[in-house]
C-alpha cells in the first residue's frame, strides 16, 4: 500500500513545475503547454509503480466533465476519464484536475465509502473552479501546474490591463480554455476586473479579481437571477470587432462608476464571456502582491488537504 499523501496541492504543483523546468527548460511554454496526459501516465508510474494511472480516455459521462476511477483489483489500478466533446483546452484542465485527485486524494477516494469506484466531477467543480474542499484543491493544483504564475506574470504583468488578443494568446500558450486563462489572471491581477459568463442576456456565473471584490465590485449569481444591463454587448447580441476591443460604459450601466467592457461569444459553448475592467485603481490586495505559486488563497485560509 502506498503512503498517504499529505502534501499541499500547490507545493505538489510547484515541485512538478520545477522538475519540468529543469527537464524541458524554463522557457518550455514558448514551445508547448504542459502535456498533462503524458505527465499523468508517466509521473504516476514513477511515484506509485504498483498502482499507477493506466490510461486517460474519453467517455460519455452525463452530468460530469471528468472522473478518476479504479478497478476491483488490489493494489488499485487507476484511469482518468474525460467527457466527450471537450475542446483541447477544457480537456487539459479536466485531466489535470483528475490527476490532482490521484496525487492528493486517491486514498480518500479508495477508502471513503462515499465514493463508489472513483470520483466524478462536474462542470462547476472543474471549468468554473467553483467547488469546495478537495474539488478546490484539485483546481488549485491544476491552475498552478498548467499556468505557473512566474511565467504567467511575465506575459501579463499584475498591474496591466488586458485585452482579448493577449488572453487568447495566453490560453494557447498554456493549452487551456479562454475562461481558464481569465480565471488565472483574475487570481493575481492588481487591477479591478471581473469576468461575467452569460447566456441569453443572463449571467450564468461571474468572478471578480481580489481588488474588485474588495472595492465592492461583484455580481451575485447564486440563487438569484442577474440580468445583464441592456447596453451590454451580450444583451445586445453585438459580437462585432468593437465588442472584442471593447468600449467604456458610463456610470450607471453596470455599476455606479464607469467600466471598460469587452465581450467574446463562444458558439461552441453557447455563452458570452464579458470582461469588465474598472477605470480607477481601487484598494489593492497588499498581502497577495509578491507571492509565489505556493501561497494561494486556500492555503492562507488554512484549508490544507491533510486529513
Ligand atoms: Zn473533482
Amino acid at each position: 500500500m502506498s503512503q498517504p499523501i499529505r502534501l499541499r496541492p500547490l507545493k505538489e504543483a510547484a515541485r512538478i513545475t520545477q522538475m519540468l523546468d529543469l527537464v524541458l527548460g524554463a522557457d518550455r511554454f514558448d514551445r508547448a503547454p504542459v502535456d498533462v496526459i503524458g505527465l499523468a501516465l508517466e509521473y504516476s508510474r514513477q511515484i506509485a509503480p504498483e498502482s499507477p494511472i493506466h490510461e486517460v480516455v474519453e467517455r460519455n459521462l452525463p452530468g460530469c466533465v471528468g472522473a478518476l476511477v479504479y478497478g476491483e483489483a488490489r493494489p488499485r489500478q487507476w484511469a482518468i476519464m474525460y467527457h466527450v466533446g471537450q475542446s483541447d483546452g477544457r480537456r487539459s484542465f479536466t485531466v489535470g484536475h483528475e490527476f490532482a485527485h490521484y496525487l492528493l486524494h486517491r486514498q480518500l477516494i479508495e477508502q471513503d465509502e462515499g465514493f463508489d469506484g472513483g470520483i466524478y466531477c462536474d462542470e462547476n467543480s472543474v471549468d468554473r473552479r467553483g467547488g469546495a474542499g478537495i474539488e478546490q484543491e484539485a483546481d488549485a493544483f491544476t491552475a498552478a501546474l498548467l499556468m505557473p504564475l512566474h511565467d504567467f506574470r511575465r506575459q501579463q504583468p499584475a498591474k496591466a490591463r488586458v485585452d482579448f488578443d493577449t488572453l487568447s494568446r495566453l490560453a494557447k500558450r498554456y493549452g487551456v480554455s479562454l475562461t481558464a486563462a481569465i480565471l488565472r489572471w483574475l487570481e493575481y491581477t492588481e487591477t479591478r476586473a471581473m469576468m461575467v459568463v452569460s447566456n441569453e442576456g443572463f449571467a450564468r456565473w461571474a468572478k471578480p479579481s481580489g481588488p474588485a471584490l474588495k472595492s465592492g465590485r461583484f455580481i451575485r449569481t447564486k440563487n438569484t437571477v442577474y440580468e445583464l444591463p441592456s447596453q451590454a454587448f451580450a444583451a445586445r447580441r453585438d459580437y462585432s470587432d468593437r465588442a472584442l476591443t471593447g468600449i467604456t460604459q458610463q456610470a450607471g450601466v453596470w455599476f455606479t462608476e464607469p467600466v471598460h467592457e469587452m465581450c467574446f461569444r463562444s458558439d461552441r459553448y453557447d455563452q458570452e464571456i464579458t470582461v469588465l475592467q474598472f477605470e480607477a485603481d481601487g484598494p489593492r490586495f497588499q498581502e497577495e502582491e509578491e507571492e509565489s505559486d505556493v501561497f494561494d488563497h486556500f492555503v492562507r485560509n488554512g484549508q490544507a488537504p491533510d486529513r
Side-chain angles (χ1 to χ4, degrees):
M1 212 169 91
S2 55
Q3 293 297 307
I5 290 174
R6 296 183 182 281
L7 292 170
R8 295 175 171 181
L10 297 174
K11 234 176 139 179
E12 187 72 20
R15 193 162 52 162
I16 298 176
T17 295
Q18 277 170 16
M19 182 190 79
L20 294 174
D21 281 350
L22 203 69
V23 175
L24 301 169
D27 59 346
R28 60 193 161 99
F29 288 106
D30 293 345
R31 293 183 294 276
V34 174
D35 168 17
V36 67
I37 292 179
L39 181 70
L41 295 171
E42 215 171 289
Y43 194 73
S44 67
R45 228 173 287 140
Q46 276 177 34
I47 60 161
E50 314 273 87
S51 176
I53 296 167
H54 281 274
E55 52 178 6
V56 178
V57 290
E58 186 175 68
R59 287 283 182 275
N60 188 29
L61 306 168
C64 294
V65 298
L68 173 72
V69 298
Y70 59 81
E72 290 294 319
R74 286 173 191 273
R76 297 298 191 194
Q77 308 299 306
W78 298 84
I80 288 174
M81 306 191 301
Y82 55 89
H83 185 47
V84 291
Q86 288 178 43
S87 62
D88 290 354
R90 283 205 183 194
R91 183 187 63 204
S92 192
F93 204 93
T94 302
V95 173
H97 180 102
E98 303 308 334
F99 178 42
H101 280 320
Y102 172 86
L103 288 176
L104 304 163
H105 313 126
R106 67 180 180 278
Q107 294 203 321
L108 173 75
I109 292 164
E110 192 189 339
Q111 287 159 12
D112 193 309
E113 284 175 7
F115 298 101
D116 186 16
I119 184 169
Y120 291 77
C121 308
D122 63 14
E123 186 184 350
N124 183 55
S125 296
V126 182
D127 298 319
R128 300 184 189 180
R129 301 188 54 188
I134 63 172
E135 295 305 322
Q136 192 184 22
E137 289 173 13
D139 288 336
F141 168 91
T142 311
L145 176 74
L146 300 182
M147 299 170 274
L149 278 190
H150 65 82
D151 190 86
F152 207 117
R153 275 200 172 108
R154 270 203 299 272
Q155 306 297 317
Q156 174 62 33
K159 294 183 200 302
R161 286 176 161 242
V162 84
D163 55 56
F164 274 128
D165 281 348
T166 305
L167 290 168
S168 308
R169 187 175 60 75
L170 289 169
K172 213 175 153 196
R173 179 176 181 83
Y174 301 112
V176 297
S177 67
L178 188 61
T179 43
I182 297 173
L183 284 173
R184 188 59 164 158
W185 169 65
L186 287 170
E187 282 188 310
Y188 74 88
T189 181
E190 291 170 21
T191 67
R192 296 189 304 134
M194 186 183 304
M195 170 166 61
V196 183
V197 178
S198 63
N199 172 254
E200 305 277 333
F202 293 92
R204 278 181 178 170
W205 57 286
K207 172 86 183 175
S209 68
L213 181 64
K214 267 201 162 173
S215 68
R217 298 292 170 246
F218 60 91
I219 285 173
R220 276 204 184 84
T221 54
K222 246 180 210 165
N223 306 320
T224 183
V225 174
Y226 182 93
E227 189 172 2
L228 303 185
S230 57
Q231 296 98 316
F233 285 116
R236 290 190 284 115
R237 293 186 158 78
D238 176 352
Y239 311 123
S240 61
D241 284 352
R242 193 156 166 266
L244 280 176
T245 317
I247 58 162
T248 299
Q249 298 277 19
Q250 296 188 345
V253 172
W254 284 91
F255 293 95
T256 54
E257 61 178 310
V259 67
H260 185 267
E261 176 196 332
M262 53 189 197
C263 178
F264 171 83
R265 156 96 189 149
S266 162
D267 288 328
R268 177 169 194 151
Y269 296 111
D270 190 21
Q271 65 184 20
E272 294 85 46
I273 298 170
T274 296
V275 174
L276 301 176
Q277 300 184 87
F278 296 92
E279 287 204 315
D281 278 345
R284 290 186 348 205
F285 240 9
Q286 301 288 346
E287 75 259 39
E288 275 199 350
E289 277 188 2
E290 294 303 329
E291 287 169 346
S292 70
D293 282 353
V294 210
F295 299 93
D296 211 336
H297 55 100
F298 74 95
V299 172
R300 279 203 308 279
N301 294 344
Q303 297 168 344
D306 297 353
R307 41 174 206 92

